[in-house]
Amino acid sequence: YRYIVAVSPGGIVSSNMASTVGLVRSQIYPMSSTRTGPWSSPMTWSAGVVPAAGDSVTILPGHTVTVDITTATASTTTIRGKLSFSTVVNSSLTLVGGDMVVEPGGSLIMGTEAQPIPASLFAHLVLAYGSLGATFRLLIQNGGNFAVHGATKTPASIALTDVVASGDIFYLTDNPATLGWKIGDVITFSPTQSQGKPATRTIASFPSNNTIRVDAPLTIAQDANVTVWVCNLTRNVLVRSSGTNVFGDTARLDSLAE
């Protein structure tokens, strides 16, 4: 083992293993589940160790492996049993240089309708990315199951008044609390000016009912005489690429279900 203290920007584990924080093995293992259990337990895995960034992983039929940590990593991951994300602690799994495949009879569960991921927690699946489109993917084969159920949140509302340039407070037609919006959520404004682009800000506070203060003033005014949609982009359950370049770093989701 060796101890690595570097971390990539934003805390995202990248395909460069030197960007991983923690104990990093020099040996790569293909491994499979040995029983139902937590991802973080060595007893869950045939190699007797917790998967690392280069390890290929298979969840065998009849086994349920629960992601129960925010630092879970693996390479190609094949699900023939069930891979679930915890509903009692924060959880995150990052794939490095490999696909995730849900085979017939397998299940990938990020909350269920009966037991969603609660609003106080998050569950993240971070897919591997490549410099070419569709290098890696999440593939749901015919007969495979993929369920995602997070906290209820109304995705959009409408500005009640103009959103002025250089202003950081505006009013909604709805009370943000009833929409499930929270401080720290990322919101975006639809542009009403021909030269405008969607502006993205973070909710800093709720000074009163129907009122939002954002973390930085807008630079272009939004005219409420034209509908200004305010959309909340934050979700507590998220599937995304680990790439940060929207023009080049990609991952994809394929479903072959009929």
Side-chain angles (χ1 to χ4, degrees):
Y1 288 90
R2 64 186 187 278
Y3 196 76
I4 305 297
V5 296
V7 62
S8 56
I12 298 173
V13 179
S14 72
S15 56
N16 180 352
M17 289 184 65
S19 296
T20 304
V21 173
L23 290 173
V24 180
R25 288 183 276 102
S26 58
Q27 184 173 355
I28 294 174
Y29 295 98
M31 66 179 76
S32 59
S33 60
T34 59
R35 63 176 189 174
T36 290
W39 182 284
S40 63
S41 172
M43 298 291 291
T44 301
W45 306 104
S46 59
V49 294
V50 177
D55 298 331
S56 60
V57 168
T58 301
I59 312 297
L60 294 179
H63 295 164
T64 298
V65 175
T66 302
V67 181
D68 61 327
I69 53 177
T70 60
T71 55
T73 62
S75 184
T76 299
T77 299
T78 304
I79 304 173
R80 297 170 182 165
K82 181 188 292 185
L83 179 64
S84 65
F85 284 69
S86 176
T87 58
V88 295
V89 295
N90 290 324
S91 57
S92 181
L93 169 60
T94 298
L95 300 186
V96 179
D99 297 328
M100 175 173 282
V101 180
V102 183
E103 294 190 349
S107 297
L108 172 59
I109 307 297
M110 303 181 76
T112 64
E113 186 173 2
Q115 193 173 18
I117 305 296
S120 59
L121 301 177
F122 67 79
H124 293 172
L125 173 59
V126 184
L127 302 176
Y129 74 91
S131 58
L132 298 176
T135 303
F136 300 110
R137 60 184 176 172
L138 166 58
L139 173 62
I140 314 299
Q141 294 185 344
N142 191 25
N145 302 292
F146 178 32
V148 181
H149 292 271
T152 300
K153 179 175 291 188
T154 303
S157 185
I158 297 173
L160 187 62
T161 60
D162 292 348
V163 182
V164 300
S166 76
D168 62 356
I169 294 179
F170 65 95
Y171 301 87
L172 288 182
T173 55
D174 304 287
N175 185 334
T178 65
L179 303 178
W181 296 14
K182 296 183 176 182
I183 293 172
D185 284 0
V186 176
I187 58 176
T188 187
F189 303 82
S190 62
T192 61
Q193 310 295 331
S194 59
Q195 77 277 17
K197 296 180 179 180
T200 300
R201 295 291 186 271
T202 300
I203 297 176
S205 65
F206 302 115
S208 61
N209 291 342
N210 296 58
T211 307
I212 291 179
R213 174 180 280 112
V214 292
D215 61 328
L218 298 182
T219 56
I220 298 176
Q222 309 298 332
D223 184 0
N225 289 319
V226 180
T227 300
V228 180
W229 283 99
V230 182
C231 302
N232 192 312
L233 304 180
T234 299
R235 300 293 183 271
N236 71 321
V237 181
L238 186 64
V239 179
R240 66 173 179 84
S241 168
S242 60
T244 56
N245 178 354
V246 296
F247 299 103
D249 300 335
T250 62
R252 84 173 194 252
L253 169 63
D254 287 341
S255 175
L256 302 183
E258 296 178 350

